[in-house]
């Protein structure tokens, strides 16, 4: 929850507003409280849209639809005012993560958990469809996990199925979330109940495998795959495959109805009407249960109230059971059912744990956490990042006027699977006031929610995923994230510009390898946009599935692109695949301009491509310190400290650590102790820092870097050579 801003109202109807839960372009969702103390979520329309009669009509219908749905698995409407100066809608507050966040952080559910989840959501849809309504946006981000079961939320684009009902969106407009839309809706058709079943099938496939069945990437690519490709259900438990395949049938008539789906998802088909478990501890993984408990406890983080005096009994040694800590049910009882006890006797302790030790007992010797790949595929990058941070801290501690001595605590991110645990170790250390890293996008997705929960500032050095915050936090913005480098989206723009400089370039070939995920899709989409709109080129794009290199290989795809008459080439994918493509192009005698993003700027590319790598150009966000004017002092200090030449990312990590150290000093000005985490997170957004690689300044709202140069490299004589700014 973010604090209220100066222009936010303090009340909506009879509800006192306590803080912001989230905001979009058209409205803000607040956490509120009734006079009786019940927490509520209040969605309020922005003033600029309140005067739009069309928008007001849609909001009015959302309130009407939400009231019409009477089901235990949807949020209960408590009040609304759709006619006032600023319309609002209040619903019961669910103190838990979205399904999207739970799967991203804790991994897929087991088969029994998917069945329970599917039966519950199918029951909610059955009630919706029985009332003549369709939801139109069933997705993991619209399912909240509470201690007493999930809730389907957000009826903002729901609509009646009655053919005579007046539509509130234009004909042919695609409404919903690409990747979860049914084929008929992706093509602009009329939505119906069968479309919700398709979306639910996508949601359950994601819950079972940890990934959406039609992949990720640009909206147009997702819509195309939904209409033309079969879903990717690899890794789905065998018992779920038949029912999920039927839910994901292209023809709406081939999909089961909601009631039939409830029956087919029963563990025992002979007892399809057995009530589902409301208690989350019986069907959700322990990590998810702990996440729900943490969110329930955070709901106690409310504005101050008059203190209540409580006489506490003398302390006694803990029992053996108490020393082991609460189990899954105990966690939920403490966080949900035991809220009154926490609020009176243990509230301060609980909140200090969640805040990472803010307030009394703040660390006198703060630590910078480093989360990096120290043993995996990108360990060379991770090692450079750790060394850069250590060098910056050593220089800080050597200053006579340094207000605090800083220590470094490094953790191996352990890939996407281990990053959340490593981040949890750092978050649990009250001395750690900020974390730098992690190295890879997958680890970043797992790390951000952990730091968000602990209000622990997270400064990303090399992760470039553009949609990181919204994807990792279920569509929400982050309070703690800062990007110390440009995103993949910004790195893609120079490629199209450099293509335009190539003599005779008119038909660039653009090849996306889906092994690299969202990053590759963004690179190809932006390059195509720049080439086509800005320079009048006619791109020839191709998209290949993950694993093509290990299976049939790239030869047929490259041959097809050459036959299409391409005169230049852009590849977005991992370095191993780039090397295979480079060999195919060289064998065919292709010597036109060849470009790739920084994922390919990896020793593996040159090692596996050999002479075929010569002449490739790459866009990167990092410098080569030894070839950068003005970095001489940094290079000399690095050599002295580590008896080695600085590698890629060392200077960027040095600067990112310098930025955080400056933020610590600014936030602690006039105080004799280091700043609390939340204060540091705010202070870092205001810091301007001049480092070895350039100037750092951030958008205070989004936490994104204001501007930084990108850099152009070329492979020459078997090495990456920095040519200058891209």
């Amino acid at each position: 929850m973010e604090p209220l801003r100066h222009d936010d109202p303090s009340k909506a109807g009879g509800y006192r507003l306590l803080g912001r839960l989230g905001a979009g372009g058209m409205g803000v969702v607040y956490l509120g409280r009734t006079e009786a103390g019940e927490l509520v979520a209040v969605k309020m329309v922005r003033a600029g849209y309140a005067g739009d009669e069309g928008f007001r009509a849609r909001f009015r219908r959302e309130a009407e639809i939400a009231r019409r749905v009477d089901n235990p698995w949807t949020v209960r409407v408590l009040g609304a005012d759709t006619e006032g100066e600023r319309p609002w809608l209040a619903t019961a507050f669910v103190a838990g993560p979205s399904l999207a966040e739970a799967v991203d952080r804790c991994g897929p559910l087991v088969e029994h958990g998917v069945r329970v989840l599917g039966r519950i959501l199918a029951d909610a849809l059955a009630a919706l469809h029985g009332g003549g309504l369709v939801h139109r946006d069933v997705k993991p981000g619209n399912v909240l996990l509470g201690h007493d079961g999930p809730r389907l939320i957000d009826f903002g684009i729901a609509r009646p199925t009655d053919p005579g009902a007046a539509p509130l969106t234009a004909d042919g407009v695609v409404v919903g979330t690409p990747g979860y839309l049914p084929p008929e809706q992706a093509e602009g058709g009329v939505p119906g109940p069968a479309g919700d079943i398709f979306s639910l099938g996508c949601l359950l496939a994601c819950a079972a495998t940890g990934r959406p069945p039609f992949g990720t990437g640009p909206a147009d690519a997702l819509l195309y795959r939904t209409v033309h490709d079969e879903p990717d259900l690899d890794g789905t438990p065998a018992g779920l495959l038949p029912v999920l395949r039927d839910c994901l049938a292209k023809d709406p008539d081939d999909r089961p109805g909601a009631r039939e789906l409830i029956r087919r998802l029963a563990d025992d088909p002979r007892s399809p009407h057995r009530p589902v478990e409301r208690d989350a501890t019986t069907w959700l993984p322990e990590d998810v249960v702990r996440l729900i408990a943490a969110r329930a406890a955070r709901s106690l983080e409310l504005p101050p109230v008059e203190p209540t005096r409580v006489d506490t009994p003398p302390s006694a040694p803990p029992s053996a059971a108490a020393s082991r800590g609460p189990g899954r049910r105990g966690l939920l009882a403490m966080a949900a059912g035991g809220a009154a006890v926490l609020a009176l006797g243990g509230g301060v302790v609980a909140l200090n744990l969640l805040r990472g030790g803010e307030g009394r007992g703040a660390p006198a010797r703060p630590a910078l956490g480093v989360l990096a790949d120290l043993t995996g595929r990108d360990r060379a990058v991770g090692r450079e990042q750790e060394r850069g941070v250590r060098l910056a801290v050593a220089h800080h501690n050597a200053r006579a006027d340094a207000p605090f001595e800083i220590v470094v605590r490094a953790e191996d991110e352990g890939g996407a699977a281990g990053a959340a645990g490593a981040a949890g170790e750092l978050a649990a250390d009250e001395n750690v006031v900020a974390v730098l890293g992690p190295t890879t996008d997958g680890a970043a997705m797992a790390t951000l929610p952990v730091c968000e929960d602990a209000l622990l500032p997270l400064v990303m050095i090399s992760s470039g995923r553009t949609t990181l915050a919204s994807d990792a936090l279920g569509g929400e913005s982050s309070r703690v994230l800062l990007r110390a480098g440009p995103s993949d989206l910004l790195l893609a723009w120079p490629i199209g510009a450099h293509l335009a400089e190539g003599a005779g370039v008119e038909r660039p070939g653009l090849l996306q390898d889906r092994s690299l995920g969202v990053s590759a899709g963004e690179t190809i989409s932006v390059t195509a946009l720049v080439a086509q709109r800005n320079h009048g080129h006619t791109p020839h794009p191709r998209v290949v599935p993950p694993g093509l290199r290990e299976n049939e290989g790239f030869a047929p795809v490259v041959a097809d692109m050459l036959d299409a008459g391409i005169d230049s080439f852009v590849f977005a994918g991992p370095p191993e695949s780039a090397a295979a493509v480079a060999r195919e192009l060289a064998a065919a005698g292709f010597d036109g301009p060849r470009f790739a993003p920084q994922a390919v700027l990896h020793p593996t590319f040159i090692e596996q491509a050999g002479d075929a790598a010569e002449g490739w150009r790459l866009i990167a966000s990092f410098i080569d310190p030894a070839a950068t004017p003005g970095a001489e002092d940094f290079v000399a200090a690095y050599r002295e400290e580590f008896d080695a030449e600085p590698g890629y990312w060392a200077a960027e990590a040095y600067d990112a650590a310098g930025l955080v150290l400056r933020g610590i000093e600014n936030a602690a000005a006039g105080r004799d102790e280091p700043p609390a985490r939340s204060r540091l997170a705010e202070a870092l957004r205001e810091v301007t820092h001049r480092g070895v690689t350039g100037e750092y300044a951030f958008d205070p709202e989004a936490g994104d870097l204001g501007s930084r140069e990108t850099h152009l490299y070329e492979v020459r004589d078997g090495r990456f050579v920095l040519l200058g700014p891209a």
Side-chain angles (χ1 to χ4, degrees):
M1 182 179 71
E2 295 181 4
L4 295 175
R5 300 178 183 176
H6 67 88
D7 55 346
D8 284 326
S10 59
K11 284 191 173 184
Y15 306 105
R16 178 190 171 193
L17 303 184
L18 308 175
R20 286 173 161 236
L21 293 173
M26 298 181 181
V28 180
V29 180
Y30 298 98
L31 179 66
R33 187 166 55 195
T34 67
E35 292 183 359
E38 181 182 5
L39 294 178
V40 298
V42 180
K43 179 189 285 190
M44 182 172 289
V45 175
R46 292 189 187 276
Y49 288 93
D52 182 335
E53 279 307 314
F55 184 84
R56 188 182 285 268
R58 286 191 291 274
F59 189 79
R60 187 181 299 119
R61 190 171 72 182
E62 177 182 358
E64 292 170 356
I65 287 173
R67 281 195 176 108
R68 283 169 60 179
V69 181
D70 183 15
N71 185 269
W73 310 118
T74 59
V75 289
R76 179 168 46 100
V77 175
L78 303 175
D81 178 3
T82 61
E83 309 305 324
E85 183 178 348
R86 290 194 61 184
W88 55 266
L89 171 69
T91 62
F93 174 67
V94 180
S98 70
L99 176 65
E101 181 185 350
V103 171
D104 279 340
R105 289 186 58 174
C106 307
L109 308 184
V110 298
E111 179 176 347
H112 173 67
V114 176
R115 288 181 178 274
V116 172
L117 176 68
R119 291 183 70 196
I120 286 173
L121 297 180
D123 188 74
L125 289 179
L128 196 68
H129 298 163
L133 302 167
V134 289
H135 190 283
R136 294 206 289 173
D137 200 20
V138 178
K139 60 181 180 180
N142 277 341
V143 174
L144 297 181
L145 300 178
H147 73 279
D148 57 348
R151 300 292 189 277
L152 181 63
I153 65 168
D154 200 349
F155 298 97
I157 62 172
R159 60 168 286 171
T161 56
D162 177 8
L168 293 180
T169 53
D171 290 341
V173 173
V174 177
V175 179
T177 302
Y180 293 90
L181 282 170
E184 62 273 19
Q185 212 167 313
E187 294 185 302
V190 177
D196 284 346
I197 298 299
F198 183 94
S199 300
L200 178 57
C202 292
L203 178 151
L204 296 178
C206 183
T209 66
R211 64 185 186 279
F214 294 100
T216 58
D220 54 351
L222 290 173
L223 295 175
Y224 180 90
R225 291 179 212 143
T226 301
V227 174
H228 299 285
D229 294 354
E230 291 303 312
D232 175 11
L233 297 177
D234 287 351
T236 302
L240 290 172
L241 278 174
V243 65
L244 290 188
R245 286 196 181 110
D246 287 350
C247 288
L248 297 174
K250 303 296 186 189
D251 187 341
D253 293 336
D254 293 338
R255 300 172 201 150
R259 291 297 176 195
E260 180 186 352
L261 188 55
I262 294 172
R263 178 184 61 79
R264 293 185 60 182
L265 286 171
D267 285 306
D268 183 355
R270 295 167 299 179
S271 305
H273 303 299
R274 180 172 59 87
V276 295
E277 301 96 325
R278 295 189 71 100
D279 186 348
T281 63
T282 64
W283 61 277
L284 284 174
E286 183 169 350
D287 286 350
V288 178
V289 172
R290 290 184 178 277
L291 184 58
I292 294 171
R295 291 297 166 83
R298 276 181 63 184
S299 67
L300 298 172
E301 195 175 345
L302 305 176
V305 295
E306 289 298 318
T308 301
R309 180 166 182 154
V310 178
D311 294 321
T312 55
S315 59
S319 66
S323 66
R324 287 195 299 267
R328 294 196 295 168
R329 294 178 187 274
L331 281 166
L332 289 176
M334 287 170 60
V341 176
L342 286 170
L344 295 174
V348 173
V349 175
L351 292 184
N352 274 343
L353 286 173
L354 290 167
R355 291 170 176 159
E358 292 182 24
R360 201 175 352 175
R365 201 161 172 252
L368 293 190
V370 178
L371 191 58
D373 185 351
L374 302 178
T375 58
R377 175 184 175 279
D378 292 297
R379 57 186 177 276
V381 173
R383 182 192 64 217
E384 292 299 318
Q385 292 175 342
E386 180 191 3
R387 285 181 171 182
V389 173
R390 290 191 182 279
L391 186 60
V393 169
H395 287 172
H396 170 273
N397 290 343
R399 285 172 36 204
D401 62 341
F404 311 106
E405 182 182 3
I406 308 291
V407 297
V408 175
R409 175 174 174 179
E411 293 283 345
D412 186 357
E413 68 185 43
E425 292 290 329
L426 293 173
D429 183 348
E430 66 176 10
N431 293 322
V432 175
V433 294
V435 172
L436 294 106
T439 302
T440 60
D441 281 354
M445 287 287 292
T447 297
L448 178 56
V450 178
C451 292
E452 186 73 25
D453 281 348
L455 294 178
L456 178 61
L458 180 65
V459 181
M460 295 286 188
I461 301 169
S462 55
S463 174
R465 183 173 179 137
T466 306
T467 57
L468 172 64
S470 60
D471 288 350
L473 302 177
E476 299 177 5
S477 59
S478 173
R479 300 165 294 177
V480 301
L481 175 65
L482 287 177
R483 291 180 181 275
S487 69
D488 292 328
L489 202 63
L490 294 177
L491 282 171
W493 283 98
I495 296 178
H498 279 277
L499 281 175
E501 296 177 357
V505 170
E506 294 183 356
R507 189 163 176 75
L510 313 177
L511 181 56
Q512 173 191 347
D513 182 344
R514 286 174 59 192
S515 300
L516 199 61
V518 175
S519 172
E522 289 179 340
T523 297
I524 295 303
S525 295
V526 171
T527 302
L529 180 70
V530 174
Q532 190 169 10
R533 293 189 181 179
N534 293 14
H535 306 295
H537 294 164
T538 306
H540 181 70
R542 287 294 303 271
V543 180
V544 296
L548 184 68
R549 179 174 58 88
E550 295 85 356
N551 298 319
E552 61 264 39
F554 285 96
V557 178
V558 171
D560 170 81
M561 299 179 77
L562 294 174
D563 289 343
I566 65 170
D567 51 27
S568 51
F569 194 86
V570 178
F571 177 79
E576 299 87 352
S577 297
V581 169
R583 294 195 300 269
E584 295 293 345
L585 289 171
F590 182 85
D591 60 358
R594 288 146 292 160
F595 284 89
Q598 73 180 18
V600 177
L601 209 161
H602 191 281
T604 300
F605 175 59
I606 292 179
E607 291 166 4
Q608 297 188 8
D611 291 342
E614 291 294 311
W616 276 71
R617 291 192 165 192
L618 306 102
I619 309 296
S621 60
F622 50 79
I623 66 168
D624 178 355
T628 301
E632 294 83 3
D633 290 344
F634 167 77
V635 172
Y638 187 99
R639 288 170 178 163
E640 181 179 354
E641 184 75 16
F642 302 109
D643 192 24
E645 294 295 317
Y648 301 136
W649 296 111
E652 284 72 21
Y654 179 88
D655 285 350
L659 166 82
V660 175
L661 293 167
R662 181 180 294 274
I664 291 174
E665 292 189 34
N666 290 354
R671 297 177 174 83
D672 58 359
E673 60 182 15
R677 290 173 174 179
S678 60
R679 178 175 176 78
L680 178 58
E682 295 173 2
L684 287 175
R685 293 178 181 238
E686 306 294 336
V687 170
T688 299
H689 176 64
R690 183 75 188 177
V692 175
T693 62
E695 185 169 86
Y696 291 79
F698 298 91
D699 176 348
E701 286 291 320
D704 290 333
L705 198 63
S707 63
R708 280 287 303 283
E709 284 186 344
T710 55
H711 308 282
L712 178 64
Y713 286 79
E714 183 176 300
V715 179
R716 294 180 179 176
D717 299 324
R719 54 186 292 266
F720 296 112
V721 176
L722 177 62
L723 302 184

